[in-house]
Amino acid sequence: MGQVSGTRWAHGCELLEYRYGPDLLPGRADGGPAGMWRYRALLPVDPGPIHYPVPVGGTPLLALPGLRAVTGVPELFVKDETRGPSASNKDRATALVLEGGLRTGADTITTASTGNAAVATALGAAAVALRSVIFVSTGCRPDKVGLMRAAGAQVFALADGYSAAVELSRAAAREFGWLDRNTGVNPYTTEAKKTVALEIWEQLRRQPPDVVVAPVGDGPTLAGLAKGFDELLACGGIERLPRLIGVQAANCQPLVRAWAGADGSATSGAPGDPASGATTIADGIAVTRPTAGALALDAVRRTGGAMVAVPDDALSAAGATLLRYGGLGSEPAGAAGLAGLVAALAGGLVDRAERVVVMLTGRELAAGPTPVPEPAAPVIEPDLDAVRAALADHPRN
């Protein structure tokens, strides 16, 4: 206890250190801040009031009798991360990045995304009156682009795909001094996601589950879960780590291939391009070159877990099962956790007698009764001069 521990994140962009000990964990009767800020002693947030105004975190851990019966897992729980403002697990990362930005006087936040992270960024920026500039692939779903624009984001599309969108977003952040929220690149995105593990621990009466199953795209969700449980261990809150099982779509499974030793290049840290051979209904995890792939695979290895791939029909079936037996809406990527559990049970990776937590990471979100702006985002070239011209030609609405 009390040791200093540092972790260097993807691209070596920052070293975050904490002095671990039981005093950093909230007490059983602690009536402190709600949601993810309950764990601020383990977050890179300086003392003082929290400025981010929208509640984030504190999502329920659901024991659903119908789902337990149909899966044959009597101690199955669903961690429902769809209860936040953007209906996805991207809200935690957005909140922590914006909280840091508000404390340093940022006026613009940028990210590239396959969809959900950009929607969360647009909504979060609107909540704190910051400008958001978002870069997507031309293959990004029009309804999600429309939702970003309805929240006031300036959205630009690149024909070169997600990889080019990430590179341009990061270059623009450096050039114009914008806040960089890119997943797996900004370490705060993983720091925020570790609070899911801390919540699960408290919701299970300060005990770890045996297994956590989660969808994996870029990798920070799995890496964040691992870091949360690692820190619980370092603080004396738990005596063992749960096994982590990552789930990818069969049509886009770079980390599953890397796990099996077929393609080590999948962990290189280069951002992915969903348009490059990835044809899956699970657009939220359709990333061919995950930014935090090495961290995700390390989390799986260290915990004795596994990586599994599931076909699109299994993703659709999992979504239908969540609705029919749990009353929970989901998008295909969000339902990948349940589809992965079914595959893991069939493959002998999980025993039905174990205590299992499945992550539900996203559901569809409509813009509401107000008209959605024309969803087509302007297509630009992947260079900073094109960004300057686009910002001048398409001012914030």
Side-chain angles (χ1 to χ4, degrees):
M1 303 300 169
Q3 73 272 25
V4 173
S5 177
T7 303
R8 188 174 297 278
W9 294 108
H11 300 268
C13 56
E14 188 167 344
L15 183 66
L16 301 175
E17 293 185 345
Y18 300 95
R19 184 175 297 279
Y20 295 123
D23 57 309
L24 295 185
L25 300 176
R28 291 179 183 271
D30 191 341
M36 63 179 278
W37 308 117
R38 176 172 174 78
Y39 310 104
R40 64 178 297 167
L42 284 168
L43 291 172
V45 178
D46 294 331
I50 298 297
H51 301 289
Y52 193 74
V54 180
V56 174
T59 57
L61 187 69
L62 304 173
L64 302 165
L67 202 58
R68 287 177 165 187
V70 75
T71 59
V73 181
E75 286 200 82
L76 173 62
F77 296 86
V78 175
K79 182 61 169 169
D80 186 1
E81 285 287 280
T82 71
R83 305 299 181 97
S86 78
S88 85
N89 68 329
K90 309 297 184 181
D91 289 322
R92 294 177 191 258
T94 296
L96 186 58
V97 172
L98 280 169
E99 178 65 25
L102 291 170
R103 290 163 182 252
T104 57
D107 62 5
T108 301
I109 185 171
T110 185
T111 196
S113 171
T114 60
N116 286 350
V119 171
T121 300
L123 296 179
V128 297
L130 261 65
R131 179 175 68 161
S132 58
V133 181
I134 292 168
F135 300 89
V136 298
S137 162
T138 50
C140 187
R141 281 174 41 182
D143 58 327
K144 290 189 176 182
V145 172
L147 186 53
M148 300 168 208
R149 297 186 67 196
Q154 294 171 278
V155 186
F156 304 114
L158 280 78
D160 291 22
Y162 177 50
S163 176
V166 172
E167 292 173 3
L168 188 57
S169 174
R170 300 211 67 214
R174 292 189 296 269
E175 177 72 12
F176 306 126
W178 296 345
L179 189 59
D180 186 343
R181 185 245 179 264
N182 279 286
T183 298
V185 173
N186 186 325
Y188 283 25
T189 60
T190 307
E191 288 287 303
K193 291 185 177 185
K194 77 184 180 189
T195 60
V196 176
L198 304 177
E199 288 180 9
I200 290 171
W201 167 71
E202 283 204 273
Q203 290 165 329
L204 292 178
R205 299 183 179 180
R206 298 185 169 234
Q207 294 294 320
D210 296 305
V211 182
V212 182
V213 189
V216 182
D218 269 309
T221 294
L222 208 61
L225 285 167
K227 192 168 193 292
F229 287 117
D230 282 342
E231 293 186 358
L232 282 169
L233 190 66
C235 290
I238 58 177
E239 296 181 352
R240 61 174 176 83
L241 297 174
R243 303 195 311 280
L244 300 181
I245 296 179
V247 188
Q248 296 200 295
N251 289 345
C252 185
Q253 52 171 307
L255 295 181
V256 177
R257 290 197 304 271
W259 171 254
D263 183 10
S265 66
T267 66
S268 66
D273 182 358
S276 299
T279 54
T280 172
I281 60 173
D283 62 295
I285 55 173
V287 180
T288 59
R289 297 183 68 82
T291 55
L295 289 174
L297 289 176
D298 177 68
V300 170
R301 291 190 182 102
R302 288 191 302 98
T303 63
M307 293 291 307
V308 298
V310 293
D312 279 7
D313 59 354
L315 292 167
S316 296
T321 299
L322 283 165
L323 189 61
R324 172 66 180 83
Y325 296 100
L328 299 173
S330 63
E331 62 180 7
L338 180 60
L341 172 61
V342 173
L345 289 167
L349 298 171
V350 176
D351 189 286
R352 283 185 164 82
E354 292 186 292
R355 177 175 286 183
V356 180
V357 174
V358 164
M359 296 285 295
L360 174 56
T361 55
R363 61 176 167 81
E364 304 293 349
L365 182 65
T370 55
V372 179
E374 168 58 42
V379 179
I380 65 172
E381 294 298 316
D383 62 69
L384 291 173
D385 286 339
V387 175
R388 291 187 181 92
L391 290 173
D393 293 342
H394 303 278
R396 184 180 182 182
N397 59 24

